[in-house]
Amino acid sequence: MQSKLNPYITFDGNSKEAVEFYKSVFGGKLTLSTFKEGGMTDDPATADKIMHALLVADNGITLMASDTAPNVPYNPGKNISLSLSGDNEQELRGYWDKLSGNATVTMPLAKAPWGDTFGMLTDKFGVHWLVNIAEKK
């Protein structure tokens, strides 16, 4: 799988509504995972909130989204991240290593509950990055 760079938007509890709207605009396939399904919460107030949404349009437009994670403040204007994803581990780890220089690592690159390797950081320019290395099957 070729590495991809995608926008990742965080919403304040209405990401499902937002990505369903974007699906009506762009078409394509929409997949949704809740915080409960991802093993990220036992709290009934956040269990059904969206941990990860992925919209892939037939023309290749890709949009990712989530609701703000439990116990994380929602900051409009700072709710967009860039997501690097694919299965080329060497390439993606190389990007991670270069981006992490003088960065604030908010989640080290490590095995995630969904089986991939995942990490988050804010680079020295204040840009939020997500890196997901897909587990090869």
Side-chain angles (χ1 to χ4, degrees), residues 73-125:
Y74 176 70
N75 295 310
K78 294 185 178 183
N79 60 328
I80 296 178
S81 300
L82 298 177
S83 175
L84 284 164
S85 58
D87 64 2
N88 186 329
E89 183 172 0
Q90 181 179 356
E91 180 179 53
L92 290 163
R93 282 188 182 274
Y95 293 145
W96 174 268
D97 291 343
K98 290 174 185 174
L99 286 167
S100 60
N102 295 319
T104 301
V105 175
T106 52
M107 182 179 288
L109 196 58
K111 192 75 154 180
W114 55 91
D116 296 347
T117 299
F118 179 77
M120 298 187 305
L121 62 82
T122 302
D123 72 18
K124 63 184 176 180
F125 299 104

